[in-house]
Structure formats: structure tokens, C-alpha cells
């Protein structure tokens, strides 16, 4: 009876183990390296790997649909890839609109758009120096603090022409009495009220961000900016919002970031049909807008999830589209060629360039010198006289499988060849092939194997030489060269050891082009 119980437990345990795709092993290793992922146990890593694979499949499916013009934006893997959507929302979306502004002594002023003001079709305050680089709130629901400081940084620049980074940690630690809850969430209005009552907020340099709740360490001597008042824009009034952005500067706004697509947003105009205009859970900074875009109008948003999320230009769609004539619908091309992300710190360089480059090199080396490849190389050495493995029939199986040669017949041929050439010295594989050709009917499998072994290295070298020569031939001054001409010149350059009778070429050219002028350049 005990044996039966143990067996049942083992069966259930095996059934519950997650099934992982082994083809994604290299990608999983790269993901962990880039984002510094470490797990406490094998079981935890298996669980996170399973979540990551599901998220990766979702990203690939979405991007395939985007290629078919079903979406206006793309998704990409980022540091949130091993988190479920529920975990992500709980950790990153910290906006808490719980404070009733009418039930306290806070400022209650509504933005009044100035009349008879013509605002530009596009605004981008980053270009004017109003916006600090993208920051990272880490594993702390403090988006409200980053949205607040971003707006204040812009206003401070407008007044002093000095861009000072303001301390989010100051708000996380010190604004609790005004209704904020640190890493558990907060609200921009209460943040501004705290700064106004506190007569200032410290700079980020003097009060750096720690991504955790702590004791208040505000020092009046380190104040970087102050607040004299603030106003609220009417909810869902995009006209007033655009006027405010154009006439005032970057604006703190709240959005619905609870959709699964927002977790992995990568590029394009984010247009999520299921987004709510009332269920808002994330605070960001609107730094501009563009109503001149041919396909869709959009806002430019600065988020606080680090540089691994989104693109350099972070856009959030407003529900307004420009109609495109049917005959032009295929003429608009969204390209990312030439776009790059600015790396401001050595950590960004290590995570974005150095580690990915090293991992890609290791992956390629592992693929090229895998156990299967090494076994194939060892097997191929059996037909090279200069190898210690020459005519060793025990190592031919891998190569036989690769080139579809009968291994049993080959082993028999090897035994006969050994006895034939026992006293004869053979210097290289070419001489070995010449010695075998007269006996082609007796050793067909060996000759086939020798020809394959001689051809494989040559084909690899030719490919590498082709790319090297192509770069020399088609240079900056020859960038309009046709494919046919490039191919002909490349063959001449690569196979330069082939004898070419130029006199014969000139004579043939003259015969075929009598009384005609040919442009030779």
C-alpha cells in the first residue's frame, strides 16, 4: 500500500512540472543576463521561465498582427517579461485617486484655457530643454512622484532656464500626511500640496531615489524647486489638455495602464481599444503632442519605467484619426531605421550593448562548436592523412549521418584501404583522393566522403570572402550599382586566381558592339 501511495505522489509531481521549450534556452539565458535576473530556487526559475515563454508568445503574436496592419504599435520583451500581468499592475501602477479634493483644504482650481490663442500643430518640450532623462521607479509604485517632479522640473526650467532634477524619494518619504502612501501609491495633487506647504522639495542629487519607503530626510538647504499653486484640467477635455501643454509646459496626467499590451509596449502609436477614460491607475508626464502625423495624432509621454520600456519617443494615442485616401493607404511607411536609444550611464552601456554583445557571441560560439559540430569535425578528420584520426572507422558515424553515407560499407572500405596504403605515404587529402580515383568502383563511399569533406570548408570560406569583397566593391561612391553588375564584379574579385584572357574578352566585346559607344563607368 505504501508503494502505491509513493508512486501516485511521483506521478502527480511529474504532471505538475511546467513544460519548457528547450529551443528558447539561449534566449532565456540572454534575458536573465541583460536584466540581471536571479531566482532563489530551481522551482522559482521554472515558474518564471514558464511566464516568460507565455509573454514571449503573446509578443510575437501581436507583432505578427502589427505586420498585417492590425495594430499601430509593436511590443517587445523587457525586464517585466517574467512577471504575470497581475504582478506587473500591482507593482508598477501606483496611482491612487482616493483623495476627495472637496473634503480637504487643498487648492481647488480648474485650468481655464486662454481665449483667442492659436496653439501650434505640434509641441515637443524635450527639444526646448524642459525634460530630464527617463527615470526608473524600480519595484516601487511611485509613478505619481515621478509624474509630479517631471511637471515641476519643466516649470522650474521655464522660470530659471536651469534644468534641475527633483527628488522623487523626498515625496515618497515625506508626503504621507497629505494622503500619499509611498511605494503603495499616491496622487499628483497631494504631491503638489505637500511641496507648497513644505515650501520646497529637495534636489535628486541631495536626496537620491531608493525605490523603497524610508524616513523623511528633507533639508531646507537642499531645496531645488518650490510650488506656489497648481490647477486641474477638466477630465476628458483634450482641447484644454493640448492648450495647457502648448502654453504651460509638461503636464502631469493619469492614464489607464492596466491593459496587457502596455506592459510590453515597444514602439509606435499606442492605441488600445479597451483603454478606459475613468479607470486610471498610472501617472505619467505629457511632454508634447503632434497633430500633423499622417496616420494618427498622438501625445508624447515620458514614463518612469526605465529605458528598457518603450522607445525613445513614447507615444500615447488619442482617439482622433486622419482619413487617408484609399489609393494612398499603402504609401505610408513606419520605419525605425536610424533610431537609437541614448545611453547616459555606464550601467546602460553594459546592459544595452556590452552584455547583449557578449551573450550573442557566446551563443554563436556554442552553436558553432557544439558537441554535435565537434563530433562532425572529428568524423570528417578521418579522411585527412595528416590527422591522427585518419581512417579511424570508429568516428565516421556522425559524418555519415550528415552526408547520408552508408556507415557499414564505409567502415569496410576503410579496412581495405588501410591494408592497401600501409606502406605508402600520403601527404594530404588531395593526394588521397587521386590515389582512390582509379578504384572508384571499389571505394565509392570513401570517395563520396572525401569529396564532401573537401567541399564543406571551401564553401564556408567562399561565403566569408564574398561578404568581405562586397563591402570593398560596393562602397560609398558606387552605391547605385545594379545587382547584376555587383555580382559580376564580385565573382571577378573572389575568383581572382582564375586565369582570364583579357585579349579574348576585348575581341569578343568588339565583335558584339560594332559601331556603338558603351558607357563603361
Amino acid at each position: 500500500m505504501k508503494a502505491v501511495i509513493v508512486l501516485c505522489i511521483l506521478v502527480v509531481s511529474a504532471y505538475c512540472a511546467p513544460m519548457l521549450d528547450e529551443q528558447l534556452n539561449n534566449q532565456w539565458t540572454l534575458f536573465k543576463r541583460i536584466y540581471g535576473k536571479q531566482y532563489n530556487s530551481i522551482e522559482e526559475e521554472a515558474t518564471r521561465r514558464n511566464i516568460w515563454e507565455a509573454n514571449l508568445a503573446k509578443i510575437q503574436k501581436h507583432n505578427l498582427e502589427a505586420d498585417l496592419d492590425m495594430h499601430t504599435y509593436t511590443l517587445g520583451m523587457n525586464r517585466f517579461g517574467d512577471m504575470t500581468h497581475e504582478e506587473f499592475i500591482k507593482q508598477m501602477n501606483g496611482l491612487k485617486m482616493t483623495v476627495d479634493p472637496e473634503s480637504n483644504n487643498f487648492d481647488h482650481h480648474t485650468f481655464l484655457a486662454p481665449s483667442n490663442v492659436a496653439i501650434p500643430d505640434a509641441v515637443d518640450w524635450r527639444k526646448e530643454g524642459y525634460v530630464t532623462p527617463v527615470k526608473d521607479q524600480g519595484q516601487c509604485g511611485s509613478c505619481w512622484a515621478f509624474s509630479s517632479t517631471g511637471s515641476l522640473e519643466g516649470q522650474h526650467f521655464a522660470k530659471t532656464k536651469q534644468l534641475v532634477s527633483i527628488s522623487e524619494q523626498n515625496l515618497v518619504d515625506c508626503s504621507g500626511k497629505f494622503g500619499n502612501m509611498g511605494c503603495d501609491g499616491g496622487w499628483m495633487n497631494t504631491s503638489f500640496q505637500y511641496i507648497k506647504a513644505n515650501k520646497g522639495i529637495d534636489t535628486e542629487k541631495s536626496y537620491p531615489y531608493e525605490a523603497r519607503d524610508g524616513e523623511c530626510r528633507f533639508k531646507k538647504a537642499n531645496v531645488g524647486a518650490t510650488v506656489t499653486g497648481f490647477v486641474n484640467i477638466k477630465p476628458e477635455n483634450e482641447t484644454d489638455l493640448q492648450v495647457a501643454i502648448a502654453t504651460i509646459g509638461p503636464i502631469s496626467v493619469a492614464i489607464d495602464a492596466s491593459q496587457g499590451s502596455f506592459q510590453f509596449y515597444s514602439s509606435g502609436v499606442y492605441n488600445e481599444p479597451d483603454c478606459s477614460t475613468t479607470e486610471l491607475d498610472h501617472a505619467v508626464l505629457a511632454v508634447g503632442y503632434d497633430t500633423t502625423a499622417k496616420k494618427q495624432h498622438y501625445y508624447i509621454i515620458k514614463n518612469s519605467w526605465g529605458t528598457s520600456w518603450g522607445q525613445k519617443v513614447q507615444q500615447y494615442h488619442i482617439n482622433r484619426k486622419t482619413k487617408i485616401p484609399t489609393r494612398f493607404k499603402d504609401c505610408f511607411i513606419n520605419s525605425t531605421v536610424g533610431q537609437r536609444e541614448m545611453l547616459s550611464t555606464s550601467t546602460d552601456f553594459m546592459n544595452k550593448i556590452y552584455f547583449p554583445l557578449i551573450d550573442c557571441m557566446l551563443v554563436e560560439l556554442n552553436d558553432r562548436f557544439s558537441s554535435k559540430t565537434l563530433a562532425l569535425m572529428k568524423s570528417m578528420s578521418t579522411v585527412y592523412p595528416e590527422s591522427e584520426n585518419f581512417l579511424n572507422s570508429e568516428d565516421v558515424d556522425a559524418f555519415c549521418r550528415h552526408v547520408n553515407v552508408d556507415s557499414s560499407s564505409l567502415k569496410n572500405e576503410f579496412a581495405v584501404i588501410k591494408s592497401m596504403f600501409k606502406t605508402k605515404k600520403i601527404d594530404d587529402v588531395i593526394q588521397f583522393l587521386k590515389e582512390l580515383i582509379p578504384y572508384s568502383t571499389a571505394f565509392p563511399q570513401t570517395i563520396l566522403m572525401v569529396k564532401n569533406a573537401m567541399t564543406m570548408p571551401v564553401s564556408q570560406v567562399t561565403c566569408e570572402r564574398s561578404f568581405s569583397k562586397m563591402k570593398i566593391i560596393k562602397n560609398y561612391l558606387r552605391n547605385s550599382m545594379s545587382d547584376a553588375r555587383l555580382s559580376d564584379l564580385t565573382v571577378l574579385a573572389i575568383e581572382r586566381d582564375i586565369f582570364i584572357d583579357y585579349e579574348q574578352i576585348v575581341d569578343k566585346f568588339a565583335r558584339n558592339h560594332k559601331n556603338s559607344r558603351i558607357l563603361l563607368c
Side-chain angles (χ1 to χ4, degrees):
M1 185 64 183
K2 290 182 178 180
V4 174
I5 294 174
V6 172
L7 179 61
C8 291
I9 294 174
L10 291 175
V11 170
V12 172
S13 299
Y15 179 78
C16 293
M19 299 297 293
L20 304 176
D21 187 350
E22 294 185 358
Q23 295 182 352
L24 298 176
N25 285 347
N26 290 334
Q27 295 185 46
W28 172 246
T29 301
L30 187 62
F31 170 78
K32 292 191 296 180
R33 173 68 66 83
I34 291 176
Y35 299 113
K37 298 289 185 177
Q38 294 181 343
Y39 305 102
N40 296 325
S41 64
I42 297 176
E43 292 77 11
E44 181 186 1
E45 179 168 350
T47 300
R48 292 299 165 187
R49 166 75 178 268
N50 203 40
I51 296 171
W52 174 81
E53 288 188 8
N55 287 331
L56 182 63
K58 180 175 68 174
I59 292 170
Q60 293 172 341
K61 178 178 180 294
H62 175 96
N63 289 342
L64 178 61
E65 294 174 348
D67 290 339
L68 300 174
D69 292 330
M70 297 174 63
H71 305 288
T72 58
Y73 61 97
T74 63
L75 304 183
M77 183 55 66
N78 53 38
R79 63 188 176 100
F80 308 119
D82 60 349
M83 298 173 64
T84 66
H85 184 53
E86 292 73 19
E87 292 173 331
F88 172 79
I89 292 175
K90 183 178 180 181
Q91 177 175 299
M92 303 305 298
N93 297 354
L95 183 67
K96 303 293 184 182
M97 299 175 61
T98 57
V99 178
D100 180 7
E102 304 298 332
S103 63
N104 51 52
N105 296 323
F106 293 173
D107 290 336
H108 308 243
H109 302 292
T110 301
F111 173 74
L112 297 177
S115 58
N116 301 322
V117 173
I119 63 173
D121 294 330
V123 173
D124 188 349
W125 288 112
R126 297 169 304 165
K127 299 177 181 179
E128 308 301 326
Y130 279 61
V131 185
T132 56
V134 173
K135 301 179 182 181
D136 189 352
Q137 68 187 69
Q139 297 182 352
C140 174
S142 55
C143 59
W144 54 274
F146 286 85
S147 176
S148 304
T149 58
S151 180
L152 183 55
E153 288 165 351
Q155 293 307 300
H156 185 268
F157 178 84
K159 184 175 182 179
T160 66
K161 298 305 177 185
Q162 294 181 350
L163 186 61
V164 178
S165 185
I166 304 301
S167 173
E168 293 80 20
Q169 193 65 41
N170 189 166
L171 290 175
V172 171
D173 293 343
C174 307
S175 63
K177 293 181 179 180
F178 290 79
N180 292 327
M181 294 172 281
C183 286
D184 291 328
W187 179 230
M188 291 85 80
N189 283 20
T190 54
S191 300
F192 294 134
Q193 188 64 40
Y194 158 76
I195 299 172
K196 180 180 179 181
N198 195 55
K199 296 182 180 179
I201 182 174
D202 285 350
T203 62
E204 184 178 21
K205 183 177 181 180
S206 64
Y207 203 152
Y209 185 67
E210 299 172 350
R212 59 183 176 85
D213 296 329
E215 296 293 330
C216 182
R217 305 186 299 276
F218 168 79
K219 292 183 179 180
K220 189 175 182 179
N222 297 326
V223 166
T226 58
V227 170
T228 58
F230 58 94
V231 295
N232 292 319
I233 299 173
K234 296 175 183 178
E236 303 182 44
N237 190 325
E238 293 187 14
T239 301
D240 283 1
L241 177 58
Q242 285 191 22
V243 172
I245 294 174
T247 59
I248 297 177
I251 304 296
S252 294
V253 296
I255 63 173
D256 173 18
S258 64
Q259 306 303 319
S261 56
F262 201 72
Q263 180 176 349
F264 298 106
Y265 165 79
S266 178
S267 65
V269 180
Y270 185 73
N271 178 10
E272 177 55 64
D274 295 330
C275 268
S276 172
T277 58
T278 56
E279 300 294 328
L280 311 179
D281 60 359
H282 186 51
V284 292
L285 186 69
V287 300
Y289 63 83
D290 192 341
T291 61
T292 65
K294 292 186 172 101
K295 279 193 172 183
Q296 288 180 316
H297 300 172
Y298 58 83
Y299 290 115
I300 304 173
I301 295 300
K302 178 187 177 185
N303 203 354
S304 55
W305 293 345
T307 55
S308 67
W309 183 91
Q311 63 182 34
K312 188 178 179 183
V313 180
Q314 298 169 0
Q315 302 167 352
Y316 189 81
H317 172 70
I318 63 176
N319 192 19
R320 189 185 298 112
K321 298 181 180 179
T322 302
K323 292 184 179 180
I324 301 172
T326 305
R327 64 182 183 276
F328 295 145
K329 67 179 182 179
D330 296 326
C331 298
F332 296 103
I333 301 174
N334 291 324
S335 174
T336 58
V337 175
Q339 295 182 4
R340 62 187 180 91
E341 183 178 357
M342 300 300 293
L343 304 177
S344 56
T345 65
S346 59
T347 303
D348 287 341
F349 172 79
M350 296 289 283
N351 291 337
K352 297 292 184 180
I353 296 180
Y354 180 75
F355 286 142
L357 179 61
I358 295 298
D359 281 318
C360 287
M361 293 174 63
L362 291 176
V363 168
E364 290 296 328
L365 288 173
N366 289 334
D367 288 341
R368 179 159 292 191
F369 298 102
S370 63
S371 57
K372 182 179 179 181
T373 305
L374 293 176
L376 180 61
M377 294 173 63
K378 185 177 181 181
S379 181
M380 189 167 58
S381 68
T382 58
V383 295
Y384 283 84
E386 57 267 43
S387 171
E388 297 178 356
N389 208 32
F390 182 51
L391 296 179
N392 184 1
S393 59
E394 295 180 358
D395 295 327
V396 300
D397 292 330
F399 197 88
C400 290
R401 288 191 297 269
H402 185 73
V403 297
N404 196 22
V405 173
D406 184 8
S407 61
S408 59
S409 299
L410 183 63
K411 291 177 181 179
N412 294 332
E413 292 179 12
F414 271 21
V416 177
I417 294 171
K418 274 185 179 181
S419 60
M420 285 180 58
F421 300 120
K422 191 171 184 181
T423 57
K424 190 169 186 178
K425 183 180 179 183
I426 302 176
D427 295 327
D428 53 41
V429 67
I430 297 177
Q431 183 185 354
F432 182 48
L433 179 61
K434 291 180 179 178
E435 295 287 346
L436 291 177
I437 288 177
Y439 309 100
S440 57
T441 56
F443 308 117
Q445 304 295 342
T446 304
I447 292 176
L448 179 61
M449 185 174 183
V450 171
K451 289 181 177 179
N452 276 280
M454 293 174 64
T455 304
M456 290 178 65
V458 174
S459 62
Q460 294 284 341
V461 171
T462 302
C463 180
E464 297 294 339
R465 283 167 50 190
S466 300
F467 283 110
S468 299
K469 286 296 180 182
M470 189 180 298
K471 190 174 183 180
I472 297 174
I473 295 171
K474 190 165 185 177
N475 55 27
Y476 176 76
L477 298 177
R478 297 172 178 165
N479 56 9
S480 60
M481 186 184 301
S482 66
D483 291 341
R485 184 173 179 81
L486 175 62
S487 177
D488 293 340
L489 292 176
T490 305
V491 170
L492 291 175
I494 296 172
E495 307 297 345
R496 60 184 181 276
D497 295 334
I498 299 176
F499 175 73
I500 299 175
D501 189 344
Y502 294 101
E503 293 294 334
Q504 184 181 356
I505 293 175
V506 172
D507 292 341
K508 185 176 181 180
F509 181 85
R511 288 195 303 270
N512 294 337
H513 300 280
K514 294 180 180 180
N515 302 322
S516 62
R517 296 181 178 181
I518 305 297
L519 186 63
L520 297 178
C521 59

